[in-house]
Amino acid sequence: MHSNLWIFIWRRKLSFLLVVSGLVLLGLWTWAILIDTTAAAQPPAALLSSSERQQQQSTGYQQVHIIQKLIEQANRVLRAERLKDNAVEKSPSPVQRLGNVRFLRPTQAKKAPLPMSESFLFEQERLKILEQQQRQRNAGMEELNANAEDERMLSSAERQTQYEHELQRMGVPVVAGIGPDGPRAPAERLVHLDLKGAPPKLSFLKQLLPVLRALGATGLLIEYEDMFPYSGVLQPLAAHNAYKEDELRDFLECAALHGLSVMPLVQTFGHMEYVLKLSGFEQMRELAESPQSICPSQPQSVALLEQMLTQVIELHSQCLGQATPATNVPVAQIRFTHIHIGCDEVQRMGECTTCRQRLRSELFLSHVVSMAHFIRRQWPHLGVVIWDDQLRSMSLSELQHSQVGSYVEPMVWVYASDIYRFIQPQLWDTYAKVFPSAWTASAFKGAFGESLLVPPLQHHLENNIRWLAVIAKEGGRFSKGLRGLALTGWQRYDHFAVLCELLPVGIPSLMTSLSTVSKGYFSTNPRDNELLRVLQCVFQPDSRRSGRPWLELHPNAHHSQLFAVCNYPGHLVFKYALRLFDKLAEIRLYLQQTRDQSAWLSDYNVRHNFSSPLRVRELTDRTPMLIEELRAMAREAQQLLWEVYDEYTVTEFVEQHIYPTIEALQRQLARAEMLLQRRTWPQRPLPLPLKVQEDMGLVTHQQEQQ
């Protein structure tokens, strides 16, 4: 009985094996369905934390690995059985003998090939597993697409909340209402070029034009001061290194080819130092001791200003549609629609004997109207712009009575984060009742310190983003709206001040703020933000793997690490300025520790010539090396800055930023050398030096007795 059963099983072994394999596959298939059902019940990947997503992916990989191993084992068993059966079929003798007993092998029917559906069963399962693995490998792209789809499905408020959370991660200031669903960008975005300090070579500015245009600039606000090529009786106003007229024409035509408008700025009231400092022009000052402001009551003052305006306007107007002599081909037209006549920070006004007979507000408004009337009479197509700060203290009746709103457009400037602190809603209402339209002005450098080396990027970005909110809120007050925003980049605070941040060092701040105001908000998506492409950054952001945003700004940091790996005009100067900033900070700390915090090289030790030679040598051991490092950096500055500036700016920069620190180190060495000369020292207590006693007004006990 048992032998017959075994014979039956032996004859049907392949069938039994297929049945068992089918049951195993059915169980595995059921398991896979249960896993998919469980995964579908779980929250979306976008709502899971990074650790939960990693754990989920790890579990999925383990399950797929187990299934794949089981299928491979089943394939190996089937393959072995088929090979064994084939070997038996090919055996030449179907008869086997065991002693005197002859045993006949049961005849086997020729095995039919597996049906097509069964032979490819395991292959189909393997392909499904490989497809699942491929989907998991592409989880990053699927997650990005899913997030984008989720963002489209989110409400406006939810998108704004998600956007602001990403801004906080990046260190970008968050301003309510500014985001992808917020107001539109300003119509005009002007970039201010302040040429009264460190004027760049025009060849460098020409390299900058396509970058500005690509990031959304629509025009240039050019403040020439003494860099304009004045001629004739005004020739003394031009600096010795002023731009040549033909070079300036070529630059203006290049700006036109890039689709940029040009608004020249000529100061006509305050900030007239570059004119009134000169011999032959000093009689036009408001006060004899100050060349800051011109006296508007003198006829020669008005004549001088009209001549200056005429030369500047005529040069820009001549570039409109003029033909080049060599080719007789018209050059691109410059959009020259406005001129800026300054009139800000008039610090000395109404103080001369003639001007004192009039109110300050009346004096200011009549002078502005006079200058604007001259321009509109000679060039009717030009609009006139002034800075607004002198208007802020005037009443509505004074402004309306002067009819200044019919002649000029104010450019409202605030460089701080709290704009309404300086321009209250009531003032906006007053401006809207007087002027049909107005301009606004932010800053990308030169606003947070008179002698800074590197601009605080985050502060400037916040100023520009807050201006977007103010423009959206207050623009509706004006009958013709707010025309646009000018991003100012001051190079000196006035004609007599030292340099602040150089233009190449301020380019990361400029580009970040410009791209933001051109889009209407800061784009957190590196694909949509033009910074990486325009600045040619080799840094490839991957927030999924690193967990860090592609741009990181911090309140106390001057820059993001992103800009250290970019290639844009002036990038070498920017990187050099960062290294110089760090080196100067290191040396200042060293000098502070050795002089103010040390017990052997303090002012007290030097006054009394009383210290330990051993300690003095230890404290000044690094000083010669630091001096040599600064000298090397000065030579490097000459090489790098020469690509952007002339020799005068290079030497001024080195003298302002590097030489004072070298002097401080040399003074420290001289003090140390004096202390080291002494070989014997007096007994304590040390007497109080007479000069210290006199300066402090002290009386010693001996003097009291006398």
Side-chain angles (χ1 to χ4, degrees):
M1 180 65 181
H2 292 289
S3 61
N4 293 335
L5 179 61
W6 285 112
I7 292 173
F8 178 80
I9 293 174
W10 176 258
R11 291 178 177 177
R12 300 291 185 267
K13 61 182 181 298
L14 187 58
S15 299
F16 276 103
L17 186 58
L18 288 175
V19 171
V20 173
S21 300
L23 293 175
V24 172
L25 288 176
L26 180 61
L28 295 176
W29 187 263
T30 305
W31 186 21
I33 293 175
L34 291 176
I35 291 173
D36 293 339
T37 304
T38 305
Q42 293 177 350
L47 301 179
L48 295 176
S49 64
S50 59
S51 60
E52 290 174 340
R53 287 197 298 268
Q54 292 176 357
Q55 183 178 1
Q56 190 180 64
Q57 292 178 358
S58 177
T59 304
Y61 280 124
Q62 293 177 358
Q63 294 169 352
V64 171
H65 181 71
I66 293 173
I67 295 174
Q68 188 175 8
K69 288 298 183 183
L70 289 173
I71 293 176
E72 290 177 356
Q73 184 66 23
N75 281 328
R76 283 197 296 271
V77 172
L78 285 178
R79 194 179 301 109
E81 289 297 328
R82 290 295 301 272
L83 292 175
K84 185 176 179 181
D85 291 342
N86 292 337
V88 171
E89 290 176 1
K90 294 179 182 179
S91 177
S93 177
V95 180
Q96 295 182 359
R97 294 182 177 274
L98 184 59
N100 295 327
V101 180
R102 187 176 66 174
F103 176 76
L104 293 176
R105 178 183 295 275
T107 58
Q108 293 181 341
K110 188 174 181 180
K111 184 182 294 185
L114 287 174
M116 185 66 65
S117 59
E118 295 183 9
S119 63
F120 285 94
L121 177 62
F122 298 128
E123 184 66 21
Q124 291 176 354
E125 295 300 324
R126 190 175 69 85
L127 290 176
K128 290 180 180 179
I129 293 172
L130 292 177
E131 291 175 1
Q132 184 177 358
Q133 289 177 336
Q134 186 64 29
R135 285 195 299 271
Q136 291 178 345
R137 291 191 186 100
N138 296 334
M141 294 302 299
E142 292 177 1
E143 182 180 348
L144 290 176
N145 295 333
N147 290 340
E149 185 66 25
D150 292 341
E151 289 179 2
R152 285 191 292 268
M153 297 177 64
L154 292 175
S155 65
S156 177
E158 291 172 331
R159 281 198 300 270
Q160 183 67 17
T161 301
Q162 194 175 67
Y163 169 76
E164 292 178 357
H165 174 71
E166 187 63 21
L167 288 180
Q168 291 175 349
R169 290 184 63 241
M170 303 175 73
V172 177
V174 177
V175 177
I178 299 300
D181 299 324
R184 292 184 302 174
E188 296 288 339
R189 286 89 59 183
L190 306 181
V191 175
H192 174 231
L193 299 178
D194 183 15
L195 304 178
K196 65 173 172 284
K201 295 179 179 178
L202 291 177
S203 58
F204 173 78
L205 292 179
K206 289 170 67 174
Q207 297 176 31
L208 203 58
L209 294 177
V211 180
L212 298 177
R213 185 57 180 163
L215 287 176
T218 61
L220 303 176
L221 174 62
I222 306 178
E223 184 166 359
Y224 291 103
E225 205 180 70
D226 57 358
M227 290 302 294
F228 186 82
Y230 289 105
S231 59
V233 295
L234 300 183
Q235 193 276 333
L237 274 58
H240 294 305
N241 61 337
Y243 296 134
K244 301 295 186 294
E245 183 175 335
D246 56 344
E247 296 175 345
L248 185 56
R249 288 178 182 272
D250 180 67
F251 170 74
L252 294 175
E253 293 169 1
C254 186
L257 290 175
H258 287 91
L260 296 171
S261 65
V262 176
M263 182 189 295
L265 193 157
V266 181
Q267 289 286 359
T268 57
F269 208 156
H271 288 296
M272 294 289 295
E273 298 95 340
Y274 73 102
V275 177
L276 302 178
K277 72 176 183 179
L278 300 172
S279 175
F281 297 88
E282 70 274 14
Q283 69 276 9
M284 303 179 202
R285 300 173 186 172
E286 178 70 14
L287 288 180
E289 66 270 16
S290 173
Q292 202 272 341
S293 306
I294 197 169
C295 177
S297 301
Q298 299 186 35
Q300 60 265 39
S301 298
V302 176
L304 170 67
L305 296 174
E306 290 179 352
Q307 288 177 324
M308 294 169 58
L309 290 170
T310 299
Q311 290 198 15
V312 172
I313 294 175
E314 285 297 326
L315 186 141
H316 289 76
S317 297
Q318 289 169 9
C319 294
L320 290 170
Q322 294 295 311
T324 56
T327 61
N328 200 31
V329 177
V331 298
Q333 290 191 349
I334 302 173
R335 288 193 296 136
F336 178 34
T337 60
H338 289 78
I339 183 170
H340 201 306
I341 61 173
C343 298
D344 62 313
E345 297 178 336
V346 187
Q347 298 174 356
R348 313 308 297 263
M349 180 173 56
E351 299 187 32
C352 74
T353 55
T354 305
C355 292
R356 278 201 299 264
Q357 301 175 10
R358 305 170 65 184
L359 295 175
R360 288 171 58 90
S361 59
E362 178 190 354
L363 190 67
F364 178 84
L365 292 172
S366 63
H367 179 69
V368 169
V369 170
S370 174
M371 292 292 100
H373 179 70
F374 167 76
I375 296 171
R376 298 293 294 273
R377 186 177 67 251
Q378 299 292 329
W379 302 276
H381 65 282
L382 286 182
V384 182
V385 181
I386 65 170
W387 298 113
D388 83 298
D389 54 291
Q390 296 294 139
L391 306 174
R392 298 175 188 177
S393 60
M394 299 182 187
S395 65
L396 176 61
S397 60
E398 288 176 325
L399 294 173
Q400 290 177 334
H401 179 73
S402 68
Q403 298 183 349
V404 68
S406 302
Y407 289 92
V408 301
E409 300 173 3
M411 182 171 281
V412 186
W413 62 275
V414 176
Y415 308 145
S417 59
D418 187 2
I419 296 173
Y420 282 107
R421 176 188 171 191
F422 300 91
I423 312 293
Q424 295 83 8
Q426 298 88 341
L427 185 56
W428 282 112
D429 187 61
T430 299
Y431 283 170
K433 291 177 180 179
V434 176
F435 304 99
S437 62
W439 298 74
T440 58
S442 62
F444 68 88
K445 78 178 187 71
F448 291 97
E450 299 90 342
S451 59
L452 288 183
L453 184 60
V454 183
L457 192 153
Q458 190 189 49
H459 294 330
H460 289 290
L461 180 59
E462 181 176 4
N463 171 243
N464 281 275
I465 295 177
R466 292 195 180 278
W467 262 119
L468 292 175
V470 172
I471 292 172
K473 183 177 180 180
E474 307 297 342
R477 295 178 183 264
F478 296 84
S479 59
K480 295 183 180 180
L482 292 173
R483 290 188 178 271
L485 178 70
L487 288 79
T488 62
W490 301 102
Q491 194 58 73
R492 298 188 200 273
Y493 276 37
D494 64 35
H495 184 78
F496 292 108
V498 297
L499 299 173
C500 46
E501 308 99 301
L502 296 179
L503 178 60
V505 184
I507 285 180
S509 176
L510 168 60
M511 300 312 175
T512 305
S513 294
L514 178 59
S515 64
T516 300
V517 300
S518 300
K519 202 174 185 66
Y521 65 95
F522 182 87
S523 177
T524 58
N525 189 341
R527 298 178 182 177
D528 297 336
N529 200 308
E530 295 293 327
L531 279 176
L532 295 178
R533 181 183 62 83
V534 176
L535 299 185
Q536 302 180 26
C537 301
V538 298
F539 174 75
Q540 298 297 329
D542 190 353
S543 59
R544 282 191 65 252
R545 295 182 180 178
S546 65
R548 300 177 61 182
W550 61 276
L551 178 67
E552 290 183 284
L553 303 176
H554 305 287
N556 297 323
H558 293 289
H559 69 290
S560 171
Q561 190 64 29
L562 168 69
F563 302 110
V565 291
C566 299
N567 184 17
Y568 52 87
H571 69 102
L572 294 178
V573 178
F574 170 74
K575 296 168 187 176
Y576 168 81
L578 295 181
R579 290 190 287 110
L580 179 60
F581 178 86
D582 293 337
K583 178 57 65 175
L584 293 177
E586 173 192 344
I587 296 176
R588 279 194 296 268
L589 180 61
Y590 168 74
L591 290 172
Q592 180 183 7
Q593 291 175 343
T594 55
R595 177 174 177 174
D596 300 335
Q597 301 176 9
S598 166
W600 296 276
L601 201 56
S602 67
D603 292 342
Y604 179 89
N605 298 110
V606 174
R607 279 194 299 269
H608 292 273
N609 196 9
F610 190 84
S611 188
S612 168
L614 179 63
R615 295 290 190 177
V616 170
R617 292 186 186 277
E618 290 178 353
L619 289 171
T620 58
D621 183 58
R622 291 183 57 204
T623 304
M625 178 188 67
L626 293 175
I627 292 176
E628 288 303 317
E629 289 180 2
L630 286 179
R631 287 173 176 168
M633 296 200 76
R635 292 189 294 269
E636 184 181 1
Q638 281 186 311
Q639 297 175 354
L640 292 177
L641 295 179
W642 180 248
E643 300 294 328
V644 184
Y645 299 106
D646 57 23
E647 58 179 320
Y648 307 107
T649 298
V650 175
T651 55
E652 182 180 1
F653 176 85
V654 171
E655 182 181 357
Q656 176 183 338
H657 289 287
I658 300 180
Y659 182 66
T661 307
I662 293 179
E663 270 193 321
L665 292 171
Q666 290 176 338
R667 284 195 300 269
Q668 185 202 61
L669 283 180
R671 290 154 61 99
E673 187 65 26
M674 182 191 71
L675 293 173
L676 293 174
Q677 294 296 324
R678 194 161 192 172
R679 292 295 179 264
T680 60
W681 294 266
Q683 294 175 307
R684 284 191 180 275
L686 302 178
L688 181 66
L690 180 60
K691 185 177 185 310
V692 175
Q693 178 181 341
E694 293 175 351
D695 292 343
M696 299 181 65
L698 298 177
V699 179
T700 63
H701 183 65
Q702 294 178 353
Q703 291 175 334
E704 289 180 349
Q705 291 179 348
Q706 294 176 356

